[in-house]
């Protein structure tokens, strides 16, 4: 691990350098909150931001994106090329870095998603450590994503007078040395750095979940009537998935363009909470009830995707969804509840299930 | 290929939805190139009577509030292969239906004084209460991009897929600060989206012009509105702005908490 | 990561040409497609994403065997935008294809065994691929039985092909839910047919495809015939948008039908509450 | 020469709303002229009763989709007048800009889409688009310019969402306001071209003396505010609008007719030509004044067809207005001020005064003339009485009288031609029938 120091007043010059070579994304203030967006004028950069309304996911998986442009007459088709320059994400908090790592897994599982990777491949990612909790709803520490992790090239940790920057990989080294803005390690900031890291650990010492058993606990709670109770507080509006850094579900629809000559096959973010998400022709809906859809999302975050990719959990605790949810439903609540689910009731249901004669292996 | 014949008709309304077609400044030339518009009185003269065009798709703007409206609508239904309820008035009854919740005689008297006898109107109804409706374009007014997509979809030979997600979903995509977090109130969680949450995006809570989303959680909405200071009457007025005749009484009770 | 970037797949349809259309029932027709630039290279039970520009995409099972030369068949029911638009096409028209996707029927597990194929309604479409495969390599399989159910005689798929199947030493039993007097065959639900056949639990595999409600009853019946769950394969339908395990629509609990299915060995999904 | 002619134009096309023209001629004499408004009545004044006062703008916007910014503005002004709410300078600027944009967009729509087809002998703008694509594209460009402004300031044109009692629920970003300035140059060229186009057009030479009414504010060409002015009444405070005009119900029309109080059946007209006549050429901005000269407007000020020219002149004037107003807005710097409570804009009880019932009048110039909203609001903030007087209703009597005066002079023409003339005359007023059919009551003083 190589550490360098960046004085506070070098941040903007550095951002400017990156902005010249990359499409520059960072946190900026908008309408009384913060958003992660492409910013032309780097002085809008707000490294003091709390959290953003949407995660930086949209840099690589935009809310609406054209997958193919197809000539309606000839059927000739092409994938729209992304604008030439790669993307730089500047100032990504640890939860969102972990979120990007999860996205990489979901979009990287073979067959990997080409539109995503075209944007993601040469992206330069700059992390920024959190020294305080961004909002009451966040629970990054419960799922252990309050520490630096995920795909960063630089990781900034604020210390007195500037940032200690951890460099990673070839791109991180190259950009740092080409910029000429970093300073070599001194003893004082080293001490400062360790202190900050200790402080972060102390600040983020919320209740840790038993991540080892989380997914099995959750899966066991599947038949619990508690989900129905929880769904009384759910509108099934999909706000939670929309703001989630790890949700990837999408819809694909054709649009007509260019004087009815071209079709644009577009994908747009979808949500497993939306009523018709699992409905097929003929009207069968595999998750018809609000409670089934809510449960599915929690299972995806806490069990399904985690299991699929060998992780303890697929939620990064950013707290965006409980903040967005008007019923104040938090994954943390579901994760914690799953442990309380009484084994006895599970056993009882299993017996019923076997009595029904359908399954043997439960 | 024969061009699709499209007609626009207007009943009790502000004609804003028809105007929305002209507001598609970027697509209008493509649209009129791709279809044959056989009735569109707001911007065009036609030979023949007002309601007697044979059309593949007829867009009905406005609610039905007079015997004349009703008879004309029947004619249009007979001469059209598909009927589109075009905008909130046609789709839900819209603002016009507010008067259904007032005494009909008082309503006329308030406006026409001693001349009420010259005024012949009935209760306000959505188009679907009179004839079979094939599609609905929601909103007051309809969203012009949605309208363009709808029309292009027709040209391409595709059935319209109704937006199902509530307003909140698109509100998040638009990176709005939730109106509730700003101290206001909003019906977005129970209202059908498709408007790209334009009201919250401009700092104003949703008033439900696109009608209720399927399977809305009304008790939860009531609790949240109550916690934000809205009583049963206020919730009722809020709902009635566009949905006075669109929401069944039982659901209305569930939302307002009052009989 | 760089691996993923290097091998990533786009959502671009390839061109195929509609070579022939054969109406089957009021709602279903058989479409024969040619791919000009390559063979499809599929396994029985796999599906493709079929698309028309401006209309959209839909997952459709491949209804012919890879052992048949030149092109492939799709048996398509009119159900919505894409399927209806395809029904409007004339031979010579172009159709977009992505795929094949998913896991088909594991032929190796069927070889050397008795095979019981159970098809309800449109479920026969994907299974026809397997049936053709079996007829083309008949000797590799032991006793083969096909149980077919449909609502009415008029909605039976491929009735003109049953003769050819039977001639390859395959037992074909057919039943309909309701019929007119002219129908001489069985009347009743498909599970009735299961009672009528021989099932040796040790040497038999069964492959089932049909409408969602059919599975429960068929499985109960097969269990009663002592067939083990790991000898049963089910082909399941879910909504799909990508075919590549990304869009999330086809998820059954933690599984993706498009990647791990659509054909599942029953013991691998029996514990999943959302499977059936 | 026709002895007995019944001219009926059913459902006059290319106007907003449903109206018929009936003209009966016997022995060369016009016996009867009627403008029948068959639009279904809307009853807004009744629907307003019981509403929260700050819901009124959102509700009354739905009176008319074509001038919903105008209705919203009048409604807000009425509530603010009743409750003594003083909007900020920035709010006033924003309102003036969005109102200007709506009038511009409405005029463009009218002169290009509704009038031009007559002039180019086309049934609608669609064949026009095939024959003269450049003209139609220019119209769309201008419309889009105006629409963009309304989107930036109000969220959208039809039923704007950000305009509230007390202010705006969202203040535009500076970058968006700058975008308006960027668009001005093209818009200026386009309105100049519009003047050139209409300079080649000749309308029938039909002149008659008439009364005109418009809002006037000490010598400037005003839209947002001013006193009611006419040749007879100078500078009456809008609060006293019923001293100047009164409404009456006609059996053949669901829209009420409006007359001058001065004498029974004394018709007048409002709209672009009225504004020009009341304010005078010298109050126009320089380019607009030159446009008026180019179109000979001063010589035609007694010709109702010249309303179309006055609209073109106003287009030029409005683009200049917008440029100045936007520059002023930017020079002041945008402040993020919001009305007291964000949210729905109503049902917050912020219009609650716990005082006595108070009333207020909001008068504003909209595309077709002067629009009045008057509300009485009780101590709970609920509306207890409402009256709205719409420009088209004010023009109806004048339109009928014009028909009566014009038809005898054109009886030599073929019937189709007479019918077209009648339609053109009515269209020249740019009637908006949908919005004039809800009119109400109203204790008009007898
Ligand atoms: C693996 C697989 C194999 C299939 N094989 C065949 C086959 O061989 N022959 C055949 O006729 N059909 C098959 N289907 C079903 C077929 O995909 C649907 O009927 C088709 O997607 C409908 O598409 P559409 O555009 O015509 O209808 P749409 O207009 O998209 O939709 C009509 C209805 O279908 C639902 N729907 C939308 N997308 C899907 C989807 N992807 N899957 C299911 N329902 C959807 C909608 O909610 C709506 O209710 C298969 C489905 C799957 C998942
Ligand atoms: S599930 Fe909620 S808390 Fe977890 S990562 Fe997603 S949005 Fe954040
Ligand atoms: S503002 Fe309204 S629509 Fe948007 S998230 Fe909040 S409640 Fe939902
Ligand atoms: S936010 Fe609500 S009121 Fe506003 S346009 Fe959308 S549905 Fe209509």
């Amino acid at each position: 691990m190589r550490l360098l120091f960046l004085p506070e007043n070098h941040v903007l010059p550095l951002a400017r350098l990156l902005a010249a070579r990359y499409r520059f994304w960072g946190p900026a203030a908008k309408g009384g909150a913060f958003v992660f967006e492409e910013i032309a004028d780097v002085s809008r950069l707000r490294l003091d931001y709390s959290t953003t309304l949407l995660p930086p996911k949209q840099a690589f998986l935009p809310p609406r994106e054209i997958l193919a442009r197809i000539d309606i007459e000839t059927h000739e088709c092409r994938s729209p090329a992304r604008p030439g320059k790669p993307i730089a994400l500047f100032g990504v908090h640890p939860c969102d870095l972990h979120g990007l790592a999860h996205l990489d897994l979901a979009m990287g599982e073979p067959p990997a998603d080409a539109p995503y990777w075209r944007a993601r491949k040469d992206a330069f990612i700059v992390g920024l450590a959190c020294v305080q909790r961004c909002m009451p709803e966040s629970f990054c520490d419960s799922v252990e994503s309050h520490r630096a992790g995920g795909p960063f090239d630089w990781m900034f940790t604020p210390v007195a007078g500037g940032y200690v920057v951890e460099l990673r990989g070839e791109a991180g080294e190259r950009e740092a040395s080409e910029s000429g803005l970093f300073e070599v390690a001194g003893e004082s900031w080293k001490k400062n750095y360790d202190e900050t890291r200790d402080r972060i650990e102390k600040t983020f010492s919320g209740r840790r979940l038993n991540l080892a058993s989380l997914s099995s606990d959750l899966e066991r709670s599947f038949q619990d009537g508690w989900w129905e109770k929880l769904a009384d507080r759910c509108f099934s509006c999909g706000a939670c998935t929309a703001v989630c850094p790890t949700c990837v579900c999408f819809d694909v629809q054709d649009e007509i363009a260019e004087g009815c000559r071209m079709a644009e096959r577009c994908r747009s973010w979808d949500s497993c909470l939306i009523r018709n998400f699992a409905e097929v022709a003929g009207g069968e809906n595999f998750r018809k009830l609000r409670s089934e859809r809510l449960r599915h999302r929690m299972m995806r975050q806490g069990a399904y995707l985690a299991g699929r990719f060998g992780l303890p959990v697929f939620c990064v605790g950013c707290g965006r969804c409980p903040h967005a949810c008007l019923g104040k439903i938090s994954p943390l609540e579901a994760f914690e509840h799953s442990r309380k689910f009484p084994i006895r009731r599970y056993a009882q249901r299993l017996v019923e299930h076997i009595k029904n004669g359908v399954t043997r292996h439960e | 290929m024969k061009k699709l014949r499209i007609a626009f008709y207007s009943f009790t309304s502000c004609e804003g939805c028809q105007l929305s077609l002209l507001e598609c400044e970027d697509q209008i030339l493509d649209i009129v190139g791709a279809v044959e518009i056989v009735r569109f009185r707001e911007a065009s003269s036609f030979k023949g009577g007002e309601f007697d065009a044979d059309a593949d798709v007829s867009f009905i703007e406005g609610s039905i509030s007079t015997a004349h409206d009703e008879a004309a609508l029947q004619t249009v239904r007979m001469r059209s292969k598909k009927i589109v309820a075009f905008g909130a008035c046609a789709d839900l009854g819209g603002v016009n239906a507010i008067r259904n919740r007032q005494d009909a005689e008082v309503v006329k008297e308030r406006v026409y004084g001693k001349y009420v006898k010259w005024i012949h109107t009935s209760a306000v109804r959505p188009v679907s209460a009179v004839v079979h409706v094939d599609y609905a374009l929601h909103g007051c007014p309809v969203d012009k991009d949605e309208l363009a997509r709808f029309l292009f979809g027709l040209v391409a030979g595709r059935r319209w897929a109704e937006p199902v997600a509530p307003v909140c979903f698109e509100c998040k995509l638009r990176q709005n600060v939730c109106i509730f977090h700003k101290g206001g109130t909003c019906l977005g969680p129970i209202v059908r989206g498709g408007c790209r949450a334009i009201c919250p995006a401009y700092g104003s809570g949703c008033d439900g012009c696109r009608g209720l989303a399927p399977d809305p959680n009304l008790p939860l909405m009531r609790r949240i509105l109550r916690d934000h200071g809205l009583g049963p009457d206020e919730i009722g007025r809020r709902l009635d702005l566009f949905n006075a005749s669109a929401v069944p009484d039982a659901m209305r009770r569930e939302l307002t908490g009052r009989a | 990561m760089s691996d993923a970037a290097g091998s990533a797949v786009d959502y671009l349809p390839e061109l195929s040409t509609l070579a022939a259309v054969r109406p089957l029932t009021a709602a279903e027709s058989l479409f024969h497609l040619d791919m000009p630039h390559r063979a499809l290279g599929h396994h029985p039970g796999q599906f493709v994403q079929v698309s028309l520009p401006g209309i959209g995409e839909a997952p459709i099972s491949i209804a012919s065997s890879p052992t048949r030369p030149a092109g492939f068949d799709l048996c398509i029911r009119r159900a919505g935008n894409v399927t209806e638009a395809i029904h409007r096409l004339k031979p010579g028209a172009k159709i977009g294809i992505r795929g094949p996707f998913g896991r088909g029927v594991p032929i190796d597990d069927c070889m050397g065994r008795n095979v019981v194929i159970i098809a309800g309604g449109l479920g026969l479409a994907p299974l026809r691929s397997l049936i053709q495969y079996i007829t083309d390599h008949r000797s590799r399989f032991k006793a083969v039985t096909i149980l077919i159910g449909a609502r009415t005689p008029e909605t039976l798929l491929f009735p003109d092909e049953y003769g050819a199947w039977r001639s390859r030493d395959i037992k074909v039993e057919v039943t309909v839910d309701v019929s007119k007097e002219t129908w001489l065959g069985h009347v009743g639900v498909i599970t009735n047919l299961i009672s009528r056949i021989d099932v040796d639990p040790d040497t038999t595999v069964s492959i089932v495809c049909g409408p969602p409600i059919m599975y429960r009853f068929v499985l109960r019946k097969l269990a009663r015939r002592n067939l083990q769950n790991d000898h049963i394969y089910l082909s399941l339908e879910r909504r799909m948008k990508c075919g590549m395990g990304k869009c999330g629509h086809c998820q059954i609990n933690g599984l993706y039908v498009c990647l791990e299915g659509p054909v599942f060995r029953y013991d691998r999904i029996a514990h999943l509450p959302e499977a059936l | 020469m026709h002895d007995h002619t019944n001219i009926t134009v059913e459902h006059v096309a290319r106007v907003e709303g449903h109206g018929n023209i009936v003209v009966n001629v016997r022995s060369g004499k016009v016996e009867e002229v009627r403008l029948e408004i068959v639009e279904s009545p809307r009853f807004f004044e009744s629907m307003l009763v019981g509403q929260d006062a700050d819901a009124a703008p959102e509700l009354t916007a739905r009176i008319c989709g074509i001038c919903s910014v105008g209705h919203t503005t009048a409604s807000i002004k009425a509530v603010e007048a009743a409750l003594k709410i003083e909007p900020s300078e920035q709010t006033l600027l924003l309102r003036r800009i969005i109102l200007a944009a709506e009038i511009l967009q409405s005029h463009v729509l009218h002169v290009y889409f509704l009038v031009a087809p007559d002039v180019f002998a086309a049934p609608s703008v669609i064949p026009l688009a095939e024959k003269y694509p450049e003209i139609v594209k220019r119209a769309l460009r201008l419309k889009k310019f105006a629409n963009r402004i309304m989107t930036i300031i109000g969220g959208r044109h039809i039923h704007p969402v950000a305009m509230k009692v007390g202010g705006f629920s969202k203040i535009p970003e500076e970058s968006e306001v700058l975008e308006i300035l960027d668009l001005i140059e093209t818009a200026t060229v386009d309105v100049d071209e519009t003047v050139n186009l209409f300079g080649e057009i000749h309308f029938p030479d039909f002149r008659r003396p008439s009364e005109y009414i418009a809002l006037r504010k000490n010598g400037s060409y005003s839209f947002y505010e001013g006193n009611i002015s006419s040749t007879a009444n100078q500078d009456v405070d809008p609060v006293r609008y019923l001293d100047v005009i009164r409404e009456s119900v006609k059996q053949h029309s669901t829209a009420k007719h409006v007359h001058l109080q001065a004498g029974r059946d004394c018709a007048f007209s409002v709209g672009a030509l009225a504004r020009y006549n009341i304010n005078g050429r010298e109050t126009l901005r320089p380019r607009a004044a030159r446009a008026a000269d180019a179109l000979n407007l001063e010589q035609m000020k007694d010709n109702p067809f010249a309303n179309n020219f006055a609209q073109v002149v106003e287009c030029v004037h409005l683009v200049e207005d917008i440029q100045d107003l936007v520059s002023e807005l930017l020079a002041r710097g945008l402040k993020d001020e919001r009305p007291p409570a964000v949210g729905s804009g109503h049902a917050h009880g912020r219009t609650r005064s716990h005082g006595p019932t108070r009333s207020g009048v909001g008068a504003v110039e909209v595309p077709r003339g002067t629009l009045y909203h008057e509300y009485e609001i009780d101590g709970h903030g609920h509306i207890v009485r409402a009256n709205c007087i719409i420009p088209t209703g004010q023009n109806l009597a004048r339109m009928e009288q014009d028909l009566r005066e014009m038809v005898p002079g054109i009886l030599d023409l073929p019937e189709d031609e007479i019918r077209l003339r009648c339609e053109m005359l009515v269209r020249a007023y740019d009637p908006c029938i949908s919005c004039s059919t809800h009119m109400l009551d109203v204790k008009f003083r007898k």
Side-chain angles (χ1 to χ4, degrees), chain A residues 211-225:
Chain A
L211 291 179
S213 70
L214 177 63
S215 62
S216 56
D217 286 346
L218 263 178
E219 294 210 31
R220 237 175 341 98
S221 78
F222 195 90
Q223 313 276 358
D224 195 335

Side-chain angles (χ1 to χ4, degrees), chain C residues 82-99:
Chain C
V82 177
T83 48
E84 264 159 32
I86 287 178
H87 274 258
R88 290 196 292 267
L89 296 181
K90 303 258 157 14
K94 300 184 183 87
I95 296 179
I97 294 289
R98 288 193 299 124

